[in-house]
Amino acid sequence: MASSDIGIDLGTSSVLIYNHEKGIILHEPSVVAVNADTGAVLAVGEDAYKMVGKTPGKIKAVYPLTTGIISDFYLAEEMVKYFIKKSCATGMVKPRVAICVPSSITDVESRAVINVAVKSGARKVFLIEEPVAAAIGAGIDITRPNGHIILDIGGGTTDIAILSLNGIVNKTSIKIAGRNFNEIIIKYIRNTHNILIGEKMADTLKCEIASVFFRDDEDISYTVKGRNLVSGLPQKVDIKRSEICPIMLEMCDQIVGALQSVLEVAPPELSADILNNGLTMTGGGSLLHGLDRYIKYRLKINAYVAENPIECVAIGTGKSFLYLDKLFDGFIESKVHQY
């Protein structure tokens, strides 16, 4: 593995870049601020995220990826180019780049990701599926004949896969993830309290008190601030954990249903391994309070959050260069050696 090789977790909400010598070298929101009139890029990453919800009419803060897929090619290219340049300070040697993508990615979507990386300065591009990268990043030995199930909840997609012997036994990907949680929180507070809150406030509320499985003594509250839709004036209201638990459960039940569909077709021998090994959870969405306990309650298997779950996929993507000649599945083969 060359020192210039980097792994990119190109997420809907954030971008992480990993280098095997330095570790995580970049972690910034996947946001671009543009001039609405001219289309000129004004800021990228952290600087652009500070503008979300606070821009005048002539400035837009845009997420170039939706549900893990590029929705604005030009802005995605500008964003990735900026991040690669920031990560590879010298710029003398073009890096080999591995990028993680959802399991359900199509040929057209994978070509778009590769084109963005190449135009951003990559020497060679490899695409690896998110659950495989998550397993590698979590320290799971996927080369052994031992079944492991991975649940990766990102910002735009949730990916699930059973892995064994360098291959994917079964997998699925659904477009229910962290940003969907934010959206239903915004919708609930608007419909119930007539208060409009922004995505940042919804994300903070999700991280602070949202839960899908808790005890009575864990029913805490948080004060949200927004604009009253009737009076138009600023207003704040206290939201309790028990109040938003039902709406969070609606989303999590779809994730549990996807998990169950993957488990139902697992070979009996691998089912036995999964009972022993449990479910490994990665991604920012895995930190939702009570989710591990809820999955154990519903599916009767142990679930645990991997160490460093937010960085797991980026770490695994960076380390995937060690598996180029080993993995039977995981890499998007038709496009790997195109450039």
Side-chain angles (χ1 to χ4, degrees):
M1 186 189 299
S3 61
S4 61
D5 292 343
I6 59 174
I8 302 179
D9 179 3
L10 191 61
T12 303
S13 300
S14 60
V15 174
L16 290 86
I17 298 181
Y18 174 89
N19 173 274
H20 77 102
E21 290 186 345
K22 301 176 183 178
I24 297 294
I25 53 178
L26 183 139
H27 183 182
E28 296 196 25
S30 49
V31 186
V32 180
V34 297
N35 185 309
D37 293 335
T38 65
V41 174
L42 304 176
V44 179
E46 194 65 48
D47 293 336
Y49 184 70
K50 294 174 182 176
M51 303 180 186
V52 173
K54 300 180 180 180
T55 59
K58 290 187 177 181
I59 300 176
K60 296 190 299 182
V62 181
Y63 288 87
L65 287 93
T66 304
T67 62
I69 302 301
I70 294 173
S71 56
D72 189 312
F73 185 89
Y74 169 71
L75 293 183
E77 181 185 334
E78 292 297 310
M79 180 179 72
V80 174
K81 187 184 300 182
Y82 172 83
F83 288 147
I84 289 179
K85 184 177 179 180
K86 190 173 181 179
S87 303
C88 306
T90 60
M92 295 179 63
V93 179
K94 288 187 175 183
R96 289 195 306 172
V97 175
I99 303 177
C100 67
V101 292
S103 295
S104 60
I105 193 168
T106 66
D107 284 345
V108 173
E109 292 163 347
S110 63
R111 182 180 291 275
V113 174
I114 290 175
N115 287 339
V116 162
V118 170
K119 290 186 177 182
S120 300
R123 171 164 52 96
K124 197 168 187 179
V125 185
F126 302 85
L127 303 185
I128 183 170
E129 296 183 31
E130 286 183 4
V132 178
I136 296 171
I140 294 173
D141 186 358
I142 60 176
T143 65
R144 298 176 59 234
N146 191 6
H148 291 270
I149 183 166
I150 305 295
L151 171 65
D152 178 61
I153 307 176
T157 61
T158 291
D159 288 87
I160 304 161
I162 296 176
L163 307 172
S164 179
L165 276 175
N166 288 328
I168 299 173
V169 179
N170 192 27
K171 65 182 180 180
T172 191
S173 179
I174 60 174
K175 300 184 187 302
I176 300 292
R179 292 192 70 184
N180 299 99
F181 293 144
N182 294 345
E183 289 169 3
I184 62 168
I185 289 173
I186 293 172
K187 182 178 179 181
Y188 171 80
I189 293 177
R190 182 183 67 229
N191 294 342
T192 306
H193 298 279
N194 280 329
I195 295 176
L196 182 63
I197 64 171
E199 186 174 350
K200 285 185 180 180
M201 181 61 68
D203 190 62
T204 302
L205 177 64
K206 176 185 69 179
C207 296
E208 292 292 335
I209 69 164
S211 178
V212 292
F213 204 86
F214 64 95
R215 301 187 304 268
D216 289 340
D217 61 345
E218 296 177 318
D219 191 11
I220 56 179
S221 63
Y222 184 81
T223 302
V224 298
K225 302 170 185 176
R227 173 169 56 85
N228 187 291
L229 292 171
V230 177
S231 66
L233 301 175
Q235 185 178 337
K236 59 183 180 180
V237 62
D238 290 334
I239 303 295
K240 298 188 71 175
R241 172 173 281 172
S242 56
E243 185 179 352
I244 60 172
C245 181
I247 64 169
M248 304 301 288
L249 275 173
E250 290 179 17
M251 287 290 181
C252 287
D253 280 340
Q254 296 182 57
I255 294 174
V256 171
L259 269 170
Q260 188 169 351
S261 69
V262 171
L263 288 167
E264 283 174 348
V265 295
E269 292 81 2
L270 290 183
S271 295
D273 289 341
I274 290 168
L275 275 176
N276 293 329
N277 297 326
L279 168 74
T280 303
M281 301 166 58
T282 64
S286 68
L287 297 173
L288 179 64
H289 184 273
L291 182 57
D292 52 347
R293 286 183 280 174
Y294 184 64
I295 290 173
K296 182 178 180 180
Y297 167 74
R298 286 284 308 276
L299 302 180
K300 312 304 179 188
I301 60 173
N302 290 322
Y304 65 93
V305 178
E307 183 180 353
N308 222 347
I310 294 176
E311 298 179 352
C312 247
V313 172
I315 294 170
T317 304
K319 290 182 177 180
S320 67
F321 292 101
L322 301 172
Y323 293 83
L324 290 177
D325 300 321
K326 298 178 181 179
L327 285 176
F328 297 127
D329 300 292
F331 287 106
I332 311 299
E333 293 292 345
S334 61
K335 301 295 186 295
V336 167
H337 301 293
Q338 186 169 346
Y339 297 94

